[in-house]
Every structure is written in structure tokens, then in C-alpha cells.
Amino acid sequence: MFRAVFAILASLTSIYAIVCVVRIILTWIPRATFHPATKFLARICDPFLDLFHGIRWMRLGSLDFSPAIALCLLGAISTIFSHLANSQTIRLGLILGLLLQTVWSVVASVLSFLILLLVIRLIMILVSRSSFSNNPIIYQLDQCIGTIVTAISHTFTGSRQITYKTGLIISIVTLIVLNFIGQLLFSILINILANLPL
């Protein structure tokens, strides 16, 4: 009975996470907002997703990464339920390890997305041979990533003037290195916590 309850809870949490992903994707489609299925999904998912919506450090210009926290938390909860269903015991170290893994999942997702945006913008510059464009999409992209590129590149170059392309390259390399080091450190910490006898 114990295993069945937690197995059902793990499955329901995973299904709810998938439903939340569908809801998030539908917010990107303006015409889908008024469809009855979208309104139904909004009633189911928005109360949970809105809990994370106001986190200021998860906003980058017009981009909101707060749904990543919500989805990673659902993943951690589902993993805890699955573990309880399989072993019927749970240790404090395992819970702490899962929470730390959730934190790293959010950070790694944001870093990966930023790296992708920076690479896309760098490719645009290399293809068009100009840093800026009158295109509103490129303008919006530059608004989102500009402060990050400036902050990272000024860390290494000080007040010395550099091109936007050089700033992008410095930022991409820095974020890739941070992602690699973070993955290594978090893996070590998660393994230590998960193996605690508590």
C-alpha cells in the first residue's frame, strides 16, 4: 500500500509537470490564449506557476525564467516520491541532495539558455557583419543580453573599450566555463549529501 501511494503521487507529479510545460508553451502563442483548452490549463497550472512568477533575479529583460524553478521543483518532488515508492525510506542527506540538484538544474538551465542566446547573437553578427540592426527582434534580444555582456566583459577588460562581438565571445566562454565548474562542484556536493548516513 505504501509503495502504491507514493508511486501514484510520483506519477501524478510528473503528469502535472508535463501539463505545466504545455501551459508554458501555449503562453508563447498569442491566439491560443482564448481557446477553452488553454483556459482550462490556466486554471490548473497558473496558481502553482504564479508562486514563482515574482522572483526578480529570474527575470532577464522581457524573459522570465521563473517557470524553470517551478518545473525543477516538481521534478525533485517526483523523484522523492519515486524513491519513497521504491525504498520506503528517505534520508535527510538524500532530500538535501535533491534540493541542491534542483537548484543546480535551474542555474544550469538559465546558463545554457543564456549561452544559446549569446551564440545566436554572435552568429547574427558574423553573418551580417554588423553589430546592430533595426530589426525589432534583434533589438529586443540585445536588450535582454546587453547588460550581461557588459557586466561579464567589463570584469575581464575593465574600462577598456571593446566591440560588441568581442564582448559576446568573452561572455560565451565565461558562461561555458562557469557551467562546467558549477556542474563539477554541484555533482561532488550532491554525491556527498546523497551518501550521508542521516
Side-chain angles (χ1 to χ4, degrees):
M1 180 69 175
F2 187 82
R3 289 183 183 210
V5 168
F6 283 110
I8 290 169
L9 287 173
S11 297
L12 289 175
T13 306
S14 296
I15 290 168
Y16 186 68
I18 292 168
V19 171
C20 286
V21 168
V22 172
R23 168 63 182 143
I24 292 164
I25 291 170
L26 288 175
T27 62
W28 302 339
I29 306 169
R31 292 188 180 189
T33 306
F34 305 106
H35 193 278
T38 305
K39 291 179 181 179
F40 175 73
L41 289 177
R43 282 194 302 272
I44 293 172
C45 300
D46 286 0
F48 176 70
L49 294 173
D50 288 345
L51 293 173
F52 305 90
H53 189 65
I55 301 174
R56 189 173 291 177
W57 58 272
M58 289 302 293
R59 290 194 68 80
L60 177 64
S62 61
L63 299 174
D64 183 9
F65 292 100
S66 61
I69 296 175
L71 295 174
C72 288
L73 182 61
L74 287 173
I77 291 169
S78 178
T79 303
I80 290 171
F81 285 149
S82 294
H83 182 76
L84 284 171
N86 293 329
S87 69
Q88 297 183 5
T89 61
I90 191 138
R91 299 182 326 274
L92 178 63
L94 180 65
I95 292 174
L96 292 174
L98 288 171
L99 290 176
L100 195 60
Q101 185 174 8
T102 301
V103 169
W104 173 246
S105 294
V106 171
V107 171
S109 298
V110 171
L111 282 175
S112 298
F113 187 71
L114 285 176
I115 292 167
L116 178 65
L117 287 179
L118 295 173
V119 167
I120 288 170
R121 186 60 180 114
L122 180 61
I123 291 169
M124 288 178 178
I125 290 172
L126 295 174
V127 169
S128 70
R129 300 196 188 279
S130 71
S131 297
F132 300 97
S133 171
N134 293 330
N135 186 319
I137 295 172
I138 294 175
Y139 175 79
Q140 186 67 28
L141 179 60
D142 286 335
Q143 289 295 313
C144 290
I145 64 175
T147 53
I148 291 173
V149 170
T150 302
I152 292 173
S153 59
H154 279 284
T155 301
F156 296 100
T157 63
S159 58
R160 191 167 44 110
Q161 290 286 348
I162 58 170
T163 64
Y164 191 52
K165 179 172 78 173
T166 304
L168 284 169
I169 293 168
I170 291 170
S171 300
I172 290 167
V173 171
T174 302
L175 291 177
I176 289 172
V177 169
L178 283 175
N179 199 6
F180 177 76
I181 292 170
Q183 179 68 42
L184 189 65
L185 291 176
F186 272 85
S187 294
I188 292 168
L189 287 172
I190 290 166
N191 281 334
I192 289 170
L193 288 172
N195 291 318
L196 287 176
L198 302 172

